Amino acid sequence: MDKLIDLSDSSPSSEGHRASHAIDLLELSFNALDGGGNPSTTSADHHMAGYPHQTGYPQVHIATSHAQVTRAETGTQPAPAPLEYPGPPPGVIPRKVSSTQSGTLLASPQVQANYIVSHTPEMAAGVVEAVHKELARANSGDGKVELRQTDGGSYMRVIVPSKNIMRLINAARSVTEELTEDSPTERPGTFQEPPVIVNKDFRILLEIDSLTNNVRPRLQLGKDTPTSLKLPEDYQGYTKRLSEYIYKGLKTAGRLPLPLTLRAHLGHYMLRTYPLGKVVYEYNDFHTMIKHPRASGWLKTRIGDETLAQRVLDFARNDTNGVFQPISNQSTSAADILPEYSFEVHSQRAKFYTPLQSRTGVATKGVGTRDTVVYHPYRVITCGVDASFAELDIVNLSVGKKLDWKFEAVTEEKGEKTFPDVVKYLRSLEFDLRTSNKPHDLNVYPRLRPQNGTDYKSVAAKLKDAAMKTVYNFRWKSTSYVVQIAVNHRWDSVGAMKRGRPTVDVGMSVFGEYWDLEEDTAGNVWGDELQFLLEGDGNAAASGPDRVGNFLQVIQDVRDTVHTFF
């Protein structure tokens, strides 16, 4: 007889209590797969119709039975690929970890989990469908995540290696609690970093760009009086609230094995929607206006021109305070850091990003100079281009400073699956870097080599916003965080790269040195308190919000170091 194990906390004071809203039963049947890679029928199919709609405290029951390692035979459906990730090596903080298979024998037995929500049929069906949609995003064609119907309602079936099942169970719980909690998490909108001091004569002025109609809030200083204004939120309260929100957001973003790009971008905050007709606010009135549900903004990360880009780079490369340091041991100072290059292009709703790799010593045909190096894309990464695609998108306005910032987590994918024609086209491109002995000249960057034939003209015609990026990566002080300065040469389209001069802007971002460590991604390994993602300022037992707070301090330190240039 199968043994049922209750993993719930039956205490009435349990924090997990959600009266009549929680996951009341989650049945796991550990079954051997048949020769075709299919599980035998489980009890869920038989008893779902008569399954009682229980209420009360969350309960999880695990039905265990003998499980076998299955072998994928020729001509049969292979068992799902493993979804678990090895622990990080000592001293390494990886964001992504590779998962590979060798041979035909899988290292982990397969587990079948039946996810059942006991509630009213209408509520249960909606929750199960939403959880299925969320977990299916992490499947990527491996394993099985199925939505099933019975006379008594719907449930979800998951088949994965046994060592990974608890991760998916926890993800299912997390999604369910979000959907059924009595007090849904409030969206904070834009976070507002309080100025050091604001007196009653300070004002917030909305600067409207006559060319772009961009609207940027700026702090207008008042009289130099000692009378300060009581702020709606002090700095300590702001930091605590922001740290906890980012911590929860990262925990949510990292609950599924999805490849994510994590970045803190510096830029200028622009209002998108706001009450018209008023351009000057007292500080507290502006703070209230920004918190209105209908007010919204975005971060402009394309800033300045070639002159600004050169000034910022010169400052970082010639730093004498030790805040900008080389990452690799091949460089002894920031001045020795050489740029890397990448190419970016957009379709209507997707961004394609590809780092460029050099073929050293290959000269452009017909030129024959020793200083010309050919570059080509070596992998193509795809992601959405607006906030609706982001797993996490938190914007921070810093009135009184010349730079604002945002923290985002965006799902990546390898473009071969969704955009095979675009990926094939991008991989066919080659770029010539001439006078490569002048790496710090901003007018020296890889140029698109002319292509013969018409094979990809239809694909190229659909792409826009082409950018060649000259990228410098610096270590921030002695931390594991990287400050990236990118000088971007932009054209309206790929075709425009062959004619006319590009526009130039500069972008800055902050991220962890090991967040982009792996190319083949199977998921995120961040730790319960984000200990494999964020530093604890020397405290190995630091909590997740404290680690986030330490990272926020790094962002603000970087911002305060360079904001006068902007």
Side-chain angles (χ1 to χ4, degrees), residues 544-564:
D546 287 343
R547 292 176 184 277
V548 172
N550 177 64
F551 182 56
L552 293 180
Q553 188 61 57
V554 170
I555 297 173
Q556 292 167 354
D557 289 347
V558 174
R559 186 268 319 273
D560 292 347
T561 301
V562 300
H563 85 112
T564 55

Side-chain angles (χ1 to χ4, degrees), residues 25 48 177 189 216 346 404:
L25 178 67
M48 269 295 295
E177 289 179 357
R216 186 183 179 196
H346 294 71
D404 310 294

